[in-house]
Amino acid sequence: MSFTGAIKGRVRNANDVPMEDVNIVIVAGPNHPDIAAVTGWDGIFVFSGLQPGNYVIRAYSSNRISDDIPVRIVAWKTAFVDIWLETDIVDEEANVVDEI
């Protein structure tokens, strides 16, 4: 029987909008295969089957890279991580159409 845990997270931009197609990579941690995850339309990613211990993950999107994010994995538990990547903030007023 394997005593593993998981990491589940969400990536959003500065406007709190979920970011799709962001690569999440485990850059350090206990012995593990080289694995990466990609966020879905809702900004969600998941790593499962991870040995307990301390990990470091990083998010990559086009020319944006997150800081290193430490995550502690405990057997039978899922650690949840929120990641915000800086992006250009859209001027909300520029998108308003005058109503007649």
Side-chain angles (χ1 to χ4, degrees):
M1 180 179 286
S2 179
F3 298 99
T4 61
I7 300 171
K8 181 176 184 178
R10 179 177 38 219
V11 180
R12 294 177 276 184
N13 66 19
N15 290 325
D16 203 26
V17 176
M19 295 181 67
E20 185 175 9
D21 295 328
V22 175
N23 294 301
I24 312 298
V25 179
I26 295 176
V27 296
N31 187 20
H32 64 278
D34 290 334
I35 53 176
V38 178
T39 59
W41 64 269
D42 53 1
I44 300 290
F45 67 91
V46 177
F47 291 106
S48 58
L50 300 175
Q51 296 299 318
N54 295 313
Y55 290 79
V56 176
I57 63 174
R58 194 176 297 145
Y60 298 87
S61 173
S62 24
N63 60 354
R64 312 240 191 270
I65 301 174
S66 73
D67 291 335
D68 287 351
I69 301 160
V71 182
R72 180 164 177 76
I73 300 299
V74 177
W76 304 104
K77 302 285 183 181
T78 299
F80 191 83
V81 180
D82 271 322
I83 301 172
W84 281 269
L85 284 180
E86 284 190 33
T87 58
D88 296 331
I89 298 176
V90 175
D91 181 1
E92 300 267 340
E93 292 181 4
N95 293 326
V96 174
V97 177
D98 290 334
E99 293 182 18
I100 299 176

